[in-house]
Amino acid sequence: MNTNLLSIKAYANREAVPIMQDEGCDFICDYIKEHNVKTVLEIGTAIGYSSIRFAGLSPDIHVTTIELDIDRHIKAVENFKNCGLENQITAIHDDALTHDFGDSKFDLIFIDAAKAQYTKFFEKYKVNLSEYGVFISDNLSFHGMVDDLSLTHNYSTKKLVKKIQKYVEFLKTNEEFDTEFFEVGDRIGVSRRKLTIKT
């Protein structure tokens, strides 16, 4: 791992900024390479760690990433420049729940922002998913609490975990998408449109 990424990880650790676990990030990087993904939309930039990992895979990959928190957005833009990836990463400071990407299509949409809003993000951005594209959702285990709510006694955490549980149920019962779950990192879901037989 290059020194820029190591320093970003150290900063995240020091400032308590949540960035993606390496196991989950490696999984998505492998998916991008194996499926020839060229355009990525990331909902939730934080300080840019995962965007840099994705864009750094190949010079023909473009990542668009959106972040609500202005301080994190500014730090991410600085990190993109330091890594020489500012031409491959478009960083947007806005609310992903209200932002409009118009007719833009993405091969991969990565949901890693406010956990309580995952279902809204999914429903809003499915129009921006390319025909054979996928949604990838992170933190579907939420440190094991999704499977075992007794791991926390904090009321607000319990509320959040229940929303993630609802999102997982939404994925499992979705009539438009099939979702496969992978026990990597903090559990990842990969959602693809169901194939329709054209007659």
Side-chain angles (χ1 to χ4, degrees):
M1 188 171 288
N2 71 36
T3 50
N4 281 320
L5 284 172
L6 288 171
S7 66
I8 292 167
K9 284 181 82 171
Y11 176 93
N13 195 40
R14 194 169 62 247
E15 302 293 328
V17 177
I19 62 171
M20 198 175 185
Q21 293 179 17
D22 281 333
E23 195 186 353
C25 212
D26 291 345
F27 174 91
I28 298 178
C29 287
D30 288 342
Y31 185 94
I32 289 170
K33 287 186 283 190
E34 286 168 19
H35 295 83
N36 202 28
V37 167
K38 298 300 180 198
T39 51
V40 177
L41 171 61
E42 177 183 57
I43 301 166
T45 313
I47 54 171
Y49 177 74
S50 43
S51 291
I52 290 165
R53 291 280 312 271
F54 303 156
L57 292 169
S58 172
D60 61 353
I61 292 170
H62 193 275
V63 178
T64 302
T65 184
I66 184 165
E67 173 61 47
L68 182 59
D69 185 288
I70 185 62
D71 294 325
R72 289 182 179 179
H73 166 77
I74 290 166
K75 186 66 182 171
V77 169
E78 181 188 311
N79 289 334
F80 299 152
K81 284 181 179 163
N82 288 342
C83 291
L85 291 168
E86 65 269 31
N87 294 326
Q88 275 180 258
I89 303 173
T90 301
I92 297 165
H93 171 240
D94 201 1
D95 186 343
L97 287 172
T98 55
H99 192 80
D100 186 5
F101 283 103
D103 296 329
S104 298
K105 299 286 184 188
F106 302 93
D107 299 328
L108 191 158
I109 299 178
F110 176 41
I111 305 178
D112 193 26
K115 311 290 173 263
Q117 308 295 342
Y118 271 23
T119 304
K120 287 181 181 174
F121 292 139
F122 192 103
E123 291 284 44
K124 175 176 171 56
Y125 287 109
K126 64 185 183 184
V127 298
N128 297 108
L129 191 67
S130 63
E131 187 178 0
Y132 298 106
V134 294
F135 277 103
I136 294 186
S137 313
D138 192 24
N139 302 119
L140 300 184
S141 166
F142 206 70
H143 319 294
M145 295 176 205
V146 169
D147 298 327
D148 184 2
L149 203 53
S150 71
L151 290 174
T152 179
H153 299 292
N154 180 290
Y155 175 71
S156 59
T157 305
K158 275 191 171 179
K159 261 180 76 174
L160 177 58
V161 171
K162 283 178 180 174
K163 287 190 173 174
I164 300 171
Q165 287 173 332
K166 276 188 175 174
Y167 178 66
V168 170
E169 194 56 32
F170 161 81
L171 293 178
K172 286 178 177 175
T173 58
N174 197 296
E175 294 183 357
E176 202 178 338
F177 287 81
D178 282 319
T179 298
E180 203 172 346
F181 297 94
F182 296 88
E183 296 301 324
V184 292
D186 198 25
R187 189 177 295 148
I188 285 175
V190 178
S191 308
R192 294 178 182 80
R193 277 198 181 86
K194 292 183 179 179
L195 293 172
T196 50
I197 311 299
K198 289 178 181 170
T199 54

